[in-house]
Amino acid sequence: MHDDEKNAYLLGFASTQQKIPEREEALPIDPDRAQSPLTGLMVDAGTDLSGTMAADRRVRILPLTIQWPGRSLLDKGTAEIRTVSRQLSHERIRSAEVSAPSVEALSYRMHPHLALNFDRLLLLATHPALVDASRSVEQMLKDHQDEITHLRRERHLRPDYALQVIPTGSLLSGPALQARLLLQSAEMRMGEVPGLLRLAKSLTDRTEVWLAPGHPGDVALTLGRLEHHDLSPWVQACSPRLTQIMHRYPVLSCKGGKFALESRTNKWKSAASRIIETAAQAIEQGSLGAPAIQLSYDGSIRELRDWPEMQALKKTAADHEVKLHVTHMSLGGRVWASAQSLSLALIRKAAD
């Protein structure tokens, strides 16, 4: 990539990012919280969250550990880390592994303010076949339970603190879309946790994620290392075979937590176009269960928006009053989906 192209590429990425704090910070205590517990949402750093959502005071990002040969990085979901990740080649990305952070790392960054800033915390967990980071959070809170209770009482807050892990059965742009809809819900505004849990379960069952991997062989290698049987359809679909030479780019899906191969094509742009067309068809057919869809892309969003397919999707969404959200892919997402990939998330209507 030439210098001018690289600069434009990074500028297109940086234009949609916002800085978020490196460490958890204490929020002012609202006396009314004794009667109305404050609820927060947490997603892990592998979620394709927008900068605006990451800056929301109700949202927290759970760091993930990214490991390369000879190097380990705690991905905190910050704009700085995402910008650096864009400069990594796909050869470097394919050698990386994503894992849960250590309890010690979480305690340093998030304790005790996390337990003071919220009374209820809902953790939207990425598909467990990819990473299971919720146990680290649960252990951190368990290790500091007595201290948390003491600190909350000192600040005249209810001493009880609750963490609820919600298995989203999704990845990439899927948990990000679920988090967006939960934040906008009446249950979230009212702090009605049982209703939030019911809504989250409903969204989980109806979430669809579609993926056009930029480097299918990297997906087969990276996900194959996890050796999880749920990932087999994606691993097999991305494995290089003689019969796939002419149609080496798959269109993949994860619906209700089930991974599958949808179709194949001989060009990545064709696979990406099919995904965009899938979004347009869902809008036109009235099959969306929520008036919002989300795309995440490992590339210049400015260039993506200029595609004719995206222009058509934007018009269709506007005509049907559907919100179209476009974000950059996270570093963890790049590892799982491969560099230069496109992901779509939507919520279908419940089956009759």
Side-chain angles (χ1 to χ4, degrees):
M1 181 180 293
H2 297 297
D3 287 342
D4 56 342
E5 294 175 339
K6 182 177 181 180
N7 290 338
Y9 177 87
L10 293 176
L11 180 62
F13 169 77
S15 63
T16 62
Q17 300 304 297
Q18 295 185 21
K19 289 187 177 182
I20 61 177
E22 286 287 324
R23 296 185 62 185
E24 181 72 12
E25 298 177 347
L27 296 177
I29 299 298
D30 182 355
D32 293 337
R33 278 174 56 185
Q35 289 75 39
S36 303
L38 181 60
T39 302
L41 288 181
M42 175 179 276
V43 296
D44 62 61
T47 301
D48 297 341
L49 212 62
S50 69
T52 301
M53 284 188 66
D56 192 305
R57 65 184 296 268
R58 300 167 295 173
V59 174
R60 294 298 183 272
I61 298 178
L62 170 62
L64 294 177
T65 300
I66 313 291
Q67 293 177 308
W68 289 275
R71 184 184 177 188
S72 180
L73 169 70
L74 188 65
D75 179 9
K76 300 176 286 294
T78 60
E80 291 84 356
I81 288 181
R82 289 192 175 192
T83 301
V84 169
S85 78
R86 291 306 175 279
Q87 303 174 34
L88 300 175
S89 65
H90 84 87
E91 290 86 358
R92 187 78 180 276
I93 288 294
R94 71 183 297 179
S95 67
E97 297 183 17
V98 182
S99 60
S102 68
V103 176
E104 293 75 17
L106 282 185
S107 295
Y108 169 76
R109 182 174 186 266
M110 307 193 108
H111 172 79
H113 290 147
L114 182 67
L116 298 178
N117 288 339
F118 299 111
D119 305 296
R120 302 289 182 267
L121 183 63
L122 306 184
L123 170 55
L124 305 183
T126 291
H127 199 296
L130 298 170
V131 66
D132 185 5
S134 61
R135 294 183 183 180
S136 296
V137 184
E138 291 173 325
Q139 188 62 48
M140 177 190 71
L141 296 177
K142 181 179 179 181
D143 290 347
H144 297 279
Q145 183 174 0
D146 291 342
E147 183 182 356
I148 289 170
T149 301
H150 174 71
L151 289 172
R152 288 178 64 83
R153 280 176 173 158
E154 277 191 338
R155 288 159 176 77
H156 307 289
L157 297 172
R158 291 170 50 169
D160 58 308
Y161 182 85
L163 168 69
Q164 183 74 41
V165 178
I166 300 173
T168 66
S170 193
L171 68 160
L172 303 170
S173 51
L177 179 58
Q178 292 179 17
R180 187 183 297 276
L181 295 174
L182 289 173
L183 287 173
Q184 296 172 350
S185 68
E187 293 85 349
M188 187 71 184
R189 290 193 298 271
M190 298 176 64
E192 210 270 292
V193 175
L196 268 175
L197 295 176
R198 289 192 295 270
L199 176 57
K201 178 63 168 61
S202 174
L203 295 177
T204 294
D205 294 339
R206 297 180 287 122
T207 297
E208 293 185 9
V209 173
W210 295 67
L211 175 67
H215 299 274
D218 292 3
V219 175
L221 180 64
T222 301
L223 300 188
R225 285 198 297 260
L226 299 177
E227 298 182 345
H228 198 290
H229 59 87
D230 287 356
L231 297 172
S232 295
W234 278 22
V235 174
Q236 295 174 5
C238 293
S239 298
R241 298 171 183 162
L242 290 177
T243 56
Q244 298 175 8
I245 290 177
M246 296 304 293
H247 296 85
R248 62 184 297 261
Y249 289 99
V251 175
L252 307 173
S253 69
C254 181
K255 302 177 181 178
K258 304 294 184 182
F259 295 88
L261 167 67
E262 295 291 336
S263 61
R264 291 188 176 281
T265 183
N266 61 345
K267 295 181 180 180
W268 178 84
K269 181 66 181 296
S270 300
S273 296
R274 290 187 184 181
I275 285 180
I276 296 172
E277 291 166 1
T278 296
Q281 290 172 2
I283 295 173
E284 292 171 343
Q285 294 169 0
S287 63
L288 290 182
I293 61 176
Q294 179 155 338
L295 288 160
S296 62
Y297 179 48
D298 183 41
S300 170
I301 289 181
R302 185 168 54 185
E303 294 178 5
L304 175 65
R305 286 172 173 156
D306 289 338
W307 291 7
E309 299 88 348
M310 281 296 295
Q311 293 288 334
L313 175 60
K314 182 179 179 181
K315 183 178 185 305
T316 300
D319 291 343
H320 292 80
E321 298 183 339
V322 172
K323 293 289 186 180
L324 176 60
H325 304 281
V326 185
T327 67
H328 286 95
M329 197 166 282
S330 64
L331 176 54
R334 292 192 77 200
V335 176
W336 295 324
S338 80
Q340 301 167 12
S341 297
L342 179 71
S343 167
L344 161 72
L346 53 84
I347 309 290
R348 294 282 186 182
K349 288 182 177 178
D352 295 332

